[in-house]
């Protein structure tokens, strides 16, 4: 490694010395010096190489982009994904067109206006029509792109329908945890960050709220297909980011500032396996905000299934309160019996709290 660094250093020094020599020649020319035949030939060669570089680079760029398209694009598995992908590719083609036009003009000018004996540069102070054109046209294009994108963004982050499946995602170094509403009330209970502790209440569940009694925890994200989903997103420590690439879902998880994302999955896990021809395919939730040393491992399995299978899975899950019975003491006395029934800790409504404790 040391030898490589020394070699690179020597090459760099030689390159700098050569550039100093070239600059000194150009300064001499600018002061009225005579351009020798060797320098004139070098100018022509360099100008031609610029054109070769332009043509070769553009051919390579378009060849790679077209032939490798399937390697850097993922199948779409959500309704809004079609809209955002369309906006993305429109923006891409606009920027590529601008890039190609500017590159061609720049390199052709370099070739066309290379140094020639007896030719002097023309002083061209300004052109109002040209300045108006390159100001107004980009402004109109950008305005159309921005307002079209804003409309899609407002739809994604807007209020969900009453029938939406609400799921909470909580991020912490270096894991995701999902909280689902129970099958009895189908509503998430209230939370309070001050109630988070190291003994089991990782959500900060407020057990004075009846709707929290049947909420349950999951280390897998299960989603029903063709059903609107509202992800409520929180972070407990540092900045994280929810990323579901196939669903085109990307939203930051910010400590102290809950965020949300609304979408509808359109392909089950099995359907995606059939489409990709990969029997081992699984959706994945990943963190795309560098959050510490374990950032690379902050992933969560995602399962998309039919509504019937999803309902069956939810019904098989135990309430958080049932898994953490010590927290029953946090429930107000007047609500303890209701909490035990709702959490599945007491199947017979006729059994009292005192009898269960015995």
């Amino acid at each position: 490694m040391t030898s490589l660094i020394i070699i690179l250093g020597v090459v760099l020094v030689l390159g700098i010395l050569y550039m100093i020599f070239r600059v000194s020649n150009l300064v001499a020319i600018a002061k009225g010096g005579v351009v020798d035949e060797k320098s004139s030939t070098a100018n022509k060669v360099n100008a031609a190489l610029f054109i070769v570089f332009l043509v070769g680079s553009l051919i390579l760029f378009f060849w790679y982009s077209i032939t490798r398209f399937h390697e850097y694009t993922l199948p779409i598995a959500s309704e809004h994904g079609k809209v955002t992908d369309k906006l993305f590719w429109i923006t891409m083609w606009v920027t590529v067109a601008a890039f190609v036009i500017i590159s061609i003009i720049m390199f052709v000018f370099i070739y066309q206006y290379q140094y020639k004996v007896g030719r002097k540069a023309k002083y061209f102070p300004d052109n109002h029509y040209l300045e108006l054109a390159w100001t107004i046209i980009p402004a109109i294009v950008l305005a159309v792109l921005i307002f079209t994108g804003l409309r899609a963004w407002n739809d994604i982050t807007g209020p969900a329908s009453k029938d939406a499946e609400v799921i909470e995602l909580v991020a912490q170094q270096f894991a995701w945890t999902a909280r689902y509403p129970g099958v009895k009330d189908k509503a998430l209970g209230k939370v309070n960050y001050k109630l988070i502790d190291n003994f089991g209440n990782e959500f900060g569940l407020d057990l004075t709220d009846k709707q929290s009694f049947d909420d349950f925890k999951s280390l897998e994200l299960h989603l029903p297909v063709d059903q609107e989903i509202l992800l409520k997103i929180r972070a407990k420590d540092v900045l994280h980011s929810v990323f579901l690439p196939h669903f085109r879902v990307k939203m930051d998880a910010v400590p102290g500032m809950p965020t949300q994302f609304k979408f509808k999955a359109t392909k089950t896990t099995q359907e995606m396996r059939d489409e990709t021809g990969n029997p081992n395919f699984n959706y994945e939730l990943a963190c795309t905000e560098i959050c510490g040393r374990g950032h690379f491992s902050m992933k969560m399995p995602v399962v998309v299934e039919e509504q019937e299978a999803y309902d069956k899975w939810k019904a098989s899950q135990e309430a958080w309160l049932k898994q953490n019975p010590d927290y029953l003491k946090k429930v107000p006395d007047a609500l303890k019996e209701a909490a035990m029934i709702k959490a599945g800790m007491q199947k017979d409504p006729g059994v009292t709290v005192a009898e269960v404790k015995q």
Side-chain angles (χ1 to χ4, degrees):
M1 179 59 71
T2 303
S3 300
L4 178 62
I5 293 174
I6 292 173
I7 293 171
L8 291 175
V10 171
V11 171
L12 181 61
V13 170
L14 292 175
I16 292 172
L17 291 175
Y18 174 74
M19 293 305 297
I20 291 173
F21 172 74
R22 291 290 298 149
V23 169
S24 64
N25 282 347
L26 293 173
V27 170
I29 293 170
K31 289 182 177 180
V34 178
V35 181
D36 57 23
E37 185 177 346
K38 187 176 180 181
S39 297
S40 179
T41 302
N43 281 335
K44 293 179 181 178
V45 171
N46 287 331
L49 287 175
F50 270 108
I51 298 300
V52 171
F53 176 80
L54 169 67
V55 175
S57 297
L58 289 179
I59 290 174
L60 183 62
F61 168 74
F62 283 106
W63 171 81
Y64 183 86
S65 299
I66 294 170
T67 59
R68 304 291 179 178
F69 182 80
H70 64 283
E71 294 183 5
Y72 58 84
T73 54
L74 295 175
I76 303 172
S78 66
E79 274 192 352
H80 80 274
K82 296 178 181 178
V83 177
T84 55
D85 266 31
K86 181 180 178 181
L87 290 173
F88 172 82
W89 287 114
I90 290 174
T91 304
M92 178 63 73
W93 281 114
V94 169
T95 53
V96 166
F99 167 75
V100 170
I101 293 171
I102 292 171
S103 297
I104 291 174
I105 292 174
M106 182 173 63
F107 282 92
V108 168
F109 267 53
I110 291 173
Y111 179 82
Q112 183 68 26
Y113 299 104
Q114 61 183 282
Y115 176 79
K116 290 182 180 179
V117 178
R119 183 169 67 180
K120 293 184 178 180
K122 181 181 179 181
Y123 180 63
F124 192 76
D126 58 61
N127 185 310
H128 294 306
Y129 295 107
L130 185 61
E131 290 176 5
L132 284 172
W134 70 37
T135 301
I136 294 174
I137 293 174
I140 293 173
V141 173
L142 286 174
V144 172
L145 292 175
I146 290 170
F147 285 113
T148 306
L150 186 62
R151 184 172 60 183
W153 174 256
N154 289 336
D155 180 60
I156 290 168
T157 57
S161 65
K162 294 181 180 179
D163 298 327
E165 185 72 16
V166 182
I167 304 168
E168 183 182 57
L169 280 175
V170 179
Q172 66 183 66
Q173 295 174 312
F174 297 98
W176 297 99
T177 310
R179 180 168 68 103
Y180 285 80
V183 295
K184 293 184 174 65
D185 60 18
K186 298 182 179 180
L188 286 172
K190 294 179 182 178
V191 292
N192 186 335
Y193 74 93
K194 294 180 180 179
L195 298 176
I196 295 174
D197 58 38
N198 295 323
F199 306 104
N201 195 358
E202 64 262 61
F203 297 111
L205 276 180
D206 183 357
L207 295 174
T208 63
D209 179 24
K210 295 179 181 180
Q211 292 180 333
S212 68
F213 297 156
D214 61 348
D215 290 357
F216 66 88
K217 165 186 173 180
S218 176
L219 299 180
E220 286 186 341
L221 183 62
H222 283 248
L223 305 173
V225 71
D226 294 326
Q227 169 71 26
E228 188 174 82
I229 298 158
L230 177 64
L231 291 181
K232 291 190 171 183
I233 303 164
R234 289 191 290 147
K236 292 167 59 176
D237 38 37
V238 299
L239 190 66
H240 300 276
S241 189
V242 173
F243 184 46
L244 294 160
H246 292 86
F247 306 107
R248 306 306 195 257
V249 172
K250 174 75 167 62
M251 179 61 72
D252 285 350
V254 186
M257 190 180 80
T259 55
Q260 66 180 40
F261 200 106
K262 178 184 65 178
F263 70 103
K264 182 183 290 186
T266 57
K267 297 175 185 176
T268 65
T269 301
Q270 186 58 50
E271 287 173 339
M272 188 59 79
R273 287 173 180 173
D274 295 338
E275 180 178 331
T276 59
N278 179 9
N280 298 317
F281 172 87
N282 285 300
Y283 290 115
E284 179 182 85
L285 185 159
C287 178
T288 51
E289 199 74 47
I290 297 177
C291 54
R293 290 187 175 182
H295 165 69
F296 68 95
S297 63
M298 192 169 170
K299 302 175 183 178
M300 186 183 204
V302 179
V303 179
V304 181
E305 52 202 345
E306 298 291 346
Q307 187 70 49
E308 183 179 353
Y310 176 73
D311 292 338
K312 185 177 180 181
W313 172 79
K314 283 187 69 175
S316 67
Q317 303 302 302
E318 285 191 343
W320 178 88
L321 189 57
K322 185 176 182 179
Q323 293 178 339
N324 299 271
D326 291 343
Y327 282 88
L328 189 62
K329 60 187 177 184
K330 303 282 187 180
V331 178
D333 291 338
L335 298 176
K336 274 191 169 65
E337 189 165 352
M340 295 175 70
I341 294 171
K342 202 171 182 182
M345 301 167 69
Q346 176 184 352
K347 293 184 179 180
D348 183 0
V351 180
T352 64
V353 175
E355 288 173 334
V356 172
K357 287 183 176 179
Q358 292 176 358

